[in-house]
Amino acid sequence: MPSPDRDPNAGGPTTGENRSGGENTPESLPDREDRWPASGLIPAAVEVVFLEALSGDALRVGLSASEAHAPERPEAATGRVPAVVYLWGIQAPRPGQPFGTAATEAAGRICKGKRLRVAARSTGPEGRIAGSVVAEGKETSGREDVGRALIRLGLAWQDQRRPSSAQLRSLEQEARREEVGLWQQEAPTPPWAWRE
């Protein structure tokens, strides 16, 4: 397992369960037929096509069929297999939770029209990937780590229940001090404690 303070973009893949812990609501996850097979393997770093933000910390992406090692399917014919990437080290408000919509919209704005590079940390069944995602402008050399950007905007917590990084903790502390996003609330409820 990579060190908690190691740069997530430098880590290679490990096998294991997805980092969502089953916390996403059913409507935020893709339908079963919209996921790649459990046997699919991915390389440590891969470029994906952004399809949509399912929540602030879950992105539906198109993974190259050759990189997914997916069997021949209609999606493979187009060169892309759908997958879900969970942003490593962060937890965003759930859909229906205060700032949940803002987090989902912000993730979509950060990713839309950009080239996305995923540094996978683990893979799980049915096309679930946990990893760091960097959005790169097509016309510029600008690069933005999506998870870090959401924490900086006050739209996510660093994940306190799993390994994280010192940089994510520092960004969260800064957002708290500046009272941006969800930190405008007196006592924001983290997604792992949220009950509708």
Side-chain angles (χ1 to χ4, degrees):
M1 182 73 147
S3 165
D5 291 326
R6 187 172 173 201
D7 182 358
N9 293 318
T14 58
T15 58
E17 294 300 312
N18 72 68
R19 66 164 267 328
S20 73
E23 296 154 353
N24 286 309
T25 59
E27 56 274 5
S28 71
L29 291 175
D31 295 327
R32 186 170 259 313
E33 66 270 8
D34 210 18
R35 299 176 186 162
W36 107 57
S39 62
L41 301 173
I42 61 165
V46 63
E47 188 171 309
V48 299
V49 173
F50 174 71
L51 300 175
E52 69 176 316
L54 300 173
S55 67
D57 56 12
L59 308 174
R60 186 190 317 257
V61 300
L63 182 66
S64 168
S66 63
E67 289 170 339
H69 303 290
E72 281 304 313
R73 305 182 334 156
E75 297 91 355
T78 63
R80 295 286 170 185
V81 176
V84 177
V85 176
Y86 295 92
L87 299 176
W88 179 86
I90 75 163
Q91 285 277 304
R94 305 279 42 100
Q97 186 175 356
F99 289 91
T101 299
T104 303
E105 290 173 354
R109 277 193 310 274
I110 293 167
C111 296
K112 188 174 183 179
K114 307 247 179 77
R115 184 174 50 218
L116 299 184
R117 294 194 186 274
V118 178
R121 296 182 67 86
S122 67
T123 60
E126 302 171 340
R128 295 170 186 239
I129 304 164
S132 300
V133 177
V134 174
E136 299 178 345
K138 293 181 180 179
E139 303 297 322
T140 67
S141 60
R143 297 168 38 105
E144 185 170 30
D145 181 279
V146 180
R148 292 176 191 163
L150 290 168
I151 287 184
R152 212 176 358 261
L153 293 168
L155 296 174
W157 285 258
Q158 61 91 18
D159 193 346
Q160 298 171 8
R161 301 169 314 142
R162 292 179 178 82
S164 189
S165 74
Q167 184 172 31
L168 291 175
R169 288 188 293 277
S170 176
L171 288 170
E172 181 182 309
Q173 290 169 355
E174 186 178 324
R176 285 175 182 252
R177 278 192 305 273
E178 294 177 6
E179 297 182 349
V180 296
L182 60 88
W183 303 113
Q184 297 169 38
Q185 301 172 89
E186 188 173 319
T189 303
W192 53 87
W194 175 254
R195 304 284 181 250
E196 288 190 80

